[in-house]
Amino acid sequence: MIGILAQGGSGPVIPDFGGGGAGNSCVRDNGFFCWNWFQQNWSDTFQPRLIEHIELTVVALAIGFVISFAAALFAYRYKWFDFPFTTFSAFLYTIPSLALFQVLVGITGLTLATALIPLVTYTLLILFRNTLIGLQEVPDEVREAARGMGLTRRQILWRVELPLALPAILAGLQIAAVTVVSLATVAAFVYDHGLGSPIFDAINRGTFKTELIGAGGLAILLGIASYAFFAVIQRVATPWARYRRA
Amino acid sequence: MITATVFQFFGDNTSLLLDQCVWTLKMFGAAFGIAVLIAVPLGVWLGHIHRGAFLAINISNVGRALPSLAVIAIGLTIFGLGFLNVMIALVILAVPVILTNAYVAVDGVDSDLTEAARGMGMTGLQTLWRVELPIALPLLFAGMRTAALYVVATTPLAALAGADGGLGDVIANQASYRFVGVVTASLLISLLAFAIDGLFALLQRSATPRSLRGRRGIEAKGSVLEAT
């Protein structure tokens, strides 16, 4: 399925983009963006791919968050754990996404797990570091005041430290979400899922422009939307940080 | 077991892999160089005149939200398959981080210092060159370091966009190079990324005045954290 990718450059483009038939000259000529074709294929191509992409992002983010949150709490309590986990997740982070997807094909095959595992691993470093640093930066006076009020260690964590670390945690989720949206498009190379699928499909059909712009545009919008989503959450969830950040 | 086969694969295909490494580095160098030429002067100048904060800061937020493959896909419709498109996409992905860091670095120089420089009779350009830039350098390098990692990590995608992808060609073509080839090429890309990151860490360190070394704010900004 992959070897065909490079062929489009040579020779005339053969207009076999379907959908429009003889009646749709825009599609036949591979026009810049054929709104008709996009509309006709919205419900069976673009919309389901968009939903898949969102699902994949949410699931990867949720799993990544659970793992890194637990790891960060552990590292906050037992300081020795910080270095090995940071090193491990930083190592995973430097592997190029395409490579990790391809390597996993050899292990987990062409399955959803192959797409999901790398997406989760790329969130670990960001989420772990941000949660841990957020907790560590809680001022000592605040912690001592809480202890003076008779709060137990667990109460201090959940009622004082974590709320104060929330802006850092949300900032981590924001970067992680944007990263996952981006890498999930690459995941389609190994697992036919999400907005990357129509992109690869369009390349294989001889760079079909309408499909490239439709899917690429949706992916970009989704990236910006997820960034904005967490920006809004940050504002709503941490009203006290609003003035400081400015 | 896998290490042995990786070494064997490397031994059997040394010249091919080295060629692909060189091509990957060339792609990186060209895209990164162009991005620096665009982003550094612009960011430094905006920081110097303290204008355009909104643009300079938000551009990296938007830039970070752009999925790399989507940028390549949109580029394909304008520039077609091949090297040019990939190069433009890499530049687009690298510019925002460098620009924002350059702006923040110069804009954030203590105004007491720039005013003192003015008071000593320095012109605007002299202030920029002798006072603001030396102080801004560590943060400026931090931005370049992040962008450099981002660009190296994205070069393999060129193979998916009908361009010569360097090591990405090996990674994307599991059918020919098999599992061991993919692993070997991935390791080489990671090694390149580590080497480039190390190089920039050194540059960043040597650009930091001795008295400021070890301060967290400056070092932390350059960590792998922000790259993708």
Side-chain angles (χ1 to χ4, degrees), chain B residues 93-120:
Chain B
L93 295 170
V95 160
V97 193
I98 306 177
L99 177 67
T100 301
N101 271 53
Y103 173 83
V104 171
V106 176
D107 181 59
V109 172
D110 196 340
S111 59
D112 288 351
L113 294 174
T114 50
E115 274 162 30
R118 289 276 155 87
M120 286 169 66

Side-chain angles (χ1 to χ4, degrees), chain B residues 16-101:
Chain B
L16 168 86
L17 288 169
L18 287 183
D19 280 354
Q20 304 287 39
C21 274
V22 169
W23 179 248
T24 298
L25 281 176
K26 276 185 185 163
M27 256 197 297
F28 160 75
F32 184 72
I34 295 172
V36 166
L37 282 180
I38 295 172
V40 170
L42 189 60
V44 165
W45 181 248
L46 287 175
H48 177 64
I49 59 175
H50 304 286
R51 294 261 172 84
F54 183 80
L55 172 93
I57 289 170
N58 284 292
I59 194 173
S60 80
N61 293 341
V62 175
R64 188 186 276 156
L66 294 179
S68 39
L69 187 63
V71 174
I72 291 177
I74 302 275
L76 279 176
T77 66
I78 303 166
F79 309 106
L81 290 162
F83 184 69
L84 177 71
N85 172 44
V86 173
M87 202 47 41
I88 289 172
L90 291 177
V91 171
I92 288 177
L93 295 170
V95 160
V97 193
I98 306 177
L99 177 67
T100 301
N101 271 53

Side-chain angles (χ1 to χ4, degrees), chain A residues 36-49:
Chain A
N36 266 339
W37 194 90
F38 182 73
Q39 260 182 327
Q40 281 164 14
N41 290 275
W42 169 257
S43 57
D44 60 331
T45 303
F46 294 105
Q47 193 197 24
R49 293 309 191 185

Side-chain angles (χ1 to χ4, degrees), chain A residues 74-86:
Chain A
F74 191 77
Y76 185 53
R77 186 91 155 73
Y78 305 99
K79 294 214 167 7
W80 59 265
F81 187 65
D82 182 3
F83 181 74
F85 195 84
T86 302

Side-chain angles (χ1 to χ4, degrees), chain B residues 155-179:
Chain B
T155 52
L157 291 189
L160 308 185
D164 193 342
L167 290 165
D169 285 350
V170 181
I171 294 172
N173 197 348
Q174 188 155 14
S176 315
Y177 298 105
R178 289 171 299 120
F179 184 63

Side-chain angles (χ1 to χ4, degrees), chain A:
Chain A
M1 104 186 181
I2 293 136
I4 345 164
L5 281 177
Q7 75 175 20
S10 58
V13 176
I14 300 153
D16 181 23
F17 300 136
N24 196 336
S25 64
C26 176
V27 171
R28 203 172 51 237
D29 301 340
N30 198 8
F32 190 64
F33 184 69
C34 310
W35 181 247
N36 266 339
W37 194 90
F38 182 73
Q39 260 182 327
Q40 281 164 14
N41 290 275
W42 169 257
S43 57
D44 60 331
T45 303
F46 294 105
Q47 193 197 24
R49 293 309 191 185
L50 178 64
I51 292 172
E52 281 172 6
H53 206 100
I54 296 172
E55 282 170 355
L56 196 58
T57 306
V58 171
V59 172
L61 208 55
I63 299 176
F65 182 70
V66 169
I67 297 174
S68 5
F69 187 73
L73 287 188
F74 191 77
Y76 185 53
R77 186 91 155 73
Y78 305 99
K79 294 214 167 7
W80 59 265
F81 187 65
D82 182 3
F83 181 74
F85 195 84
T86 302
T87 312
F88 172 68
S89 52
F91 167 72
L92 290 176
Y93 199 75
T94 55
I95 305 173
S97 54
L98 184 61
L100 195 49
F101 289 124
Q102 284 282 73
V103 167
L104 272 175
V105 169
I107 301 164
T108 47
L110 298 169
T111 62
L112 181 63
T114 306
L116 202 52
I117 293 171
L119 296 181
V120 171
T121 63
Y122 286 116
T123 66
L124 294 181
L125 179 67
I126 302 164
L127 293 174
F128 174 77
R129 292 303 306 167
N130 272 47
T131 307
L132 186 59
I133 290 173
L135 286 172
Q136 283 168 347
E137 282 185 348
V138 172
D140 276 336
E141 305 93 81
V142 176
R143 217 172 275 132
E144 274 158 33
R147 209 170 296 141
M149 286 169 67
L151 268 65
T152 64
R153 201 164 184 166
R154 174 168 300 192
Q155 283 173 326
I156 294 177
L157 179 68
W158 288 97
R159 295 202 205 158
V160 179
E161 293 173 316
L162 280 174
L164 285 175
L166 199 57
I169 296 172
L170 287 173
L173 277 170
Q174 186 177 38
I175 304 175
V178 167
T179 307
V180 172
V181 167
S182 170
L183 295 176
T185 49
V186 182
F189 188 65
V190 294
Y191 183 66
D192 191 11
H193 210 68
L195 288 168
S197 293
I199 292 179
F200 289 124
D201 178 57
I203 295 174
N204 278 327
R205 289 160 88 163
T207 61
F208 178 24
K209 292 179 182 172
T210 303
E211 198 174 15
L212 281 173
I213 293 200
L218 284 174
I220 289 176
L221 285 179
L222 187 59
I224 293 175
S226 55
Y227 189 89
F229 174 75
F230 279 101
V232 171
I233 300 251
Q234 251 168 317
R235 285 204 141 226
V236 174
T238 62
W240 63 86
R242 201 171 298 169
Y243 303 100
R244 229 186 333 171
R245 212 182 303 132

Side-chain angles (χ1 to χ4, degrees), chain B residues 3 12 29 39 43 45-46 53 56 63 95 101 138-139 143 150-151 158 161 163 171 175 215:
Chain B
T3 14
D12 294 345
W45 181 248
L46 287 175
V95 160
N101 271 53
L139 199 52
Y150 196 23
V151 172
I171 294 172
R215 270 208 204 166

Side-chain angles (χ1 to χ4, degrees), chain B residues 102 175 212:
Chain B
L212 292 178

